[in-house]
Amino acid sequence: MKIPKVISKNNHEYTFVKEYPNYIMYEDMITHKKECFNRQDLGLIKEIIKPPRSDLNVEKVKF
């Protein structure tokens, strides 16, 4: 997916600075502080929810 160059997050405007393997660095337009966001924070990827395993048989578990 394409990385947005300008984002609005936490009531601040950020501009793209650099991309890393695990996160993306943005710079605040007003204060010029750098902040990093995950791809999931930006909505570029969705969290994968795994369904519960159906092959487990509860009756075989000993307490």
Side-chain angles (χ1 to χ4, degrees):
M1 238 185 178
K2 190 173 181 182
I3 298 171
K5 301 298 178 194
V6 177
I7 61 168
S8 177
K9 198 90 162 149
N10 303 330
N11 295 327
H12 292 274
E13 295 286 326
Y14 295 96
T15 56
F16 175 78
V17 175
K18 191 171 182 182
E19 179 182 4
Y20 293 96
N22 296 329
Y23 55 89
I24 301 168
M25 183 182 292
Y26 284 91
E27 183 177 8
D28 192 333
M29 292 176 139
I30 297 171
T31 62
H32 299 288
K33 287 179 63 178
K34 293 184 171 91
E35 191 167 341
C36 297
F37 298 102
N38 291 337
R39 294 179 189 278
Q40 187 175 356
D41 293 340
L42 300 175
L44 297 176
I45 59 172
K46 305 279 185 194
E47 182 179 351
I48 300 173
I49 300 173
K50 295 181 181 178
R53 292 181 47 185
S54 62
D55 63 336
L56 293 176
N57 191 350
V58 180
E59 297 171 359
K60 292 183 179 179
V61 178
K62 294 181 181 181
F63 292 100

